[in-house]
Amino acid sequence: MIFLESEAIRVNMNPNDCKFHGRRTLAIGLAAALVLTMAAACTVKTQPEEPSAAVTAPSQTPEDTVAPANAPLVRAQRILSPEETFSVRDRATGELVDCTFEVRALDEWDSNLYLTAAGQEIAVVEIFSYLEEAKLLEFSDGSELVMFVLDEMSDDFYTCFCSVENGKPVLANEVYGSVTEIDLDGTAQLSLVVDVLGTWGAVRSYDLSSDGTMTPKPDSLYELIPYMPVEVGQAFRASFRDGGDWVEGTLEPGTQLYPTATDQESFCLFRTVDGREGKIEFTMVDYMMYVDGVSVDELFVSLPYAG
């Protein structure tokens, strides 16, 4: 059986439907010689398949979509503005509640952000420079969050997640950094500033849950964005990549390197200007980095920390 199938029509072509018909008799000479030959023409039958008796299930609606327990799917994102009234689903009652938010300027530089739900107001953030973005996030489990990305001062961003519970606006969570992207699977990219061998911009992937909790992706690191190399001032221990292994070695004075990634707790990956990849293991004491008991400020010529 050969099937030629499309969404609109299905055609069956069965070689077994081809049959040979007809007969031709020829008399040759005076002798009663009878030659019987068979000839046939092959007829191809083309028939549409009988309609299926099966009932086609309706397509899934967003409400039917089951989200993973650890990261509900984000099925909708909508940009909000201070001028509009928008509805947020109450986490406790499931009802839609009318909400607004307002940025109130205190002076030329500072403002306060307020969220109002059903006439009740909360101060989401007090004193910030400007509002970067406001979004309404809708999750496949039916819950909703209002997300605000704010610049407190000098590119020190914060992201706030707010919800409505029992008719009241609630600050669900606040994280340092700017959530720059949210995928349908709940993966959120957090952009922030880290202080490891200097001050660098960084990005890390997180799982965003419907209650505003952000959990780092397993094995994810802060991927650094170095804008200049730093120079080693005195020799110290480090590890270097050799194929799939780490081999212990020494960073010599004069070596220039770019920090590339860190867990911000125990190690920093780097790449030297001549292409070698390595790892520096450190400890943190009162926000200061130490390698084998020596401050990194003593090990490097100069580190570009933001003041």
Side-chain angles (χ1 to χ4, degrees):
M1 183 78 72
I2 301 174
F3 295 99
L4 301 177
E5 184 172 348
S6 70
E7 184 178 351
I9 187 170
R10 180 180 297 165
V11 179
N12 295 342
M13 297 183 65
N14 189 346
N16 294 323
D17 287 341
C18 296
K19 301 177 181 178
F20 292 89
H21 304 282
R23 181 168 49 197
R24 183 171 53 184
T25 305
L26 298 178
I28 303 176
L30 298 175
L34 181 64
V35 178
L36 180 64
T37 57
M38 298 295 294
C42 181
T43 303
V44 178
K45 297 181 181 180
T46 303
Q47 295 178 330
E49 190 176 81
E50 291 296 324
S52 172
V55 178
T56 303
S59 60
Q60 279 190 324
T61 63
E63 288 77 8
D64 298 323
T65 304
V66 179
N70 61 337
L73 299 177
V74 179
R75 67 185 181 195
Q77 303 179 51
R78 184 163 70 88
I79 300 294
L80 302 174
S81 65
E83 295 78 20
E84 69 174 304
T85 298
F86 52 93
S87 296
V88 178
R89 192 171 301 280
D90 193 303
R91 294 181 65 89
T93 66
E95 298 179 353
L96 292 176
V97 179
D98 286 342
C99 297
T100 59
F101 71 90
E102 180 184 1
V103 177
R104 299 176 190 168
L106 300 178
D107 51 39
E108 184 180 358
W109 305 105
D110 298 322
S111 303
N112 286 355
L113 175 65
Y114 294 89
L115 175 64
T116 301
Q120 302 186 69
E121 179 183 88
I122 63 167
V124 179
V125 173
E126 296 182 347
I127 306 180
F128 69 97
S129 294
Y130 70 94
L131 175 66
E132 176 78 9
E133 185 177 54
K135 272 186 177 181
L136 178 62
L137 307 178
E138 183 181 352
F139 293 81
S140 61
D141 63 2
S143 58
E144 295 178 337
L145 291 173
V146 182
M147 182 184 78
F148 298 105
V149 179
L150 310 131
D151 183 5
E152 186 180 49
M153 185 179 296
S154 302
D155 292 331
D156 282 332
F157 287 93
Y158 285 84
T159 300
C160 300
F161 297 98
C162 298
S163 61
V164 176
E165 297 182 22
N166 293 311
K168 299 179 180 180
V170 176
L171 177 59
N173 192 23
E174 179 181 356
V175 297
Y176 173 67
S178 170
V179 173
T180 58
E181 183 179 339
I182 302 175
D183 296 332
L184 294 177
D185 65 354
T187 298
Q189 302 298 324
L190 184 67
S191 177
L192 69 167
V193 174
V194 300
D195 291 325
V196 173
L197 299 183
T199 300
W200 314 100
V203 178
R204 191 173 189 179
S205 297
Y206 287 76
D207 283 322
L208 172 63
S209 67
S210 59
D211 64 358
T213 302
M214 291 186 63
T215 306
K217 287 280 191 181
D219 300 323
S220 69
L221 297 173
Y222 295 99
E223 302 293 336
L224 305 181
I225 308 170
Y227 53 87
M228 61 177 290
V230 294
E231 184 176 340
V232 176
Q234 60 176 283
F236 65 93
R237 178 181 59 86
S239 299
F240 294 88
R241 191 181 296 279
D242 183 10
D245 300 323
W246 291 104
V247 178
E248 191 166 309
T250 301
L251 276 170
E252 299 292 346
T255 302
Q256 293 188 329
L257 58 87
Y258 294 94
T260 57
T262 180
D263 65 351
Q264 215 174 5
E265 296 176 355
S266 63
F267 70 89
C268 177
L269 303 181
F270 65 84
R271 184 186 70 257
T272 63
V273 293
D274 59 4
R276 292 181 297 161
E277 295 183 348
K279 176 170 64 175
I280 300 171
E281 297 180 355
F282 61 83
T283 55
M284 296 290 290
V285 179
D286 295 331
Y287 304 103
M288 296 294 294
M289 289 180 58
Y290 294 85
V291 177
D292 294 335
V294 182
S295 170
V296 293
D297 292 327
E298 298 179 31
L299 299 177
F300 287 84
V301 173
S302 179
L303 296 176
Y305 287 107

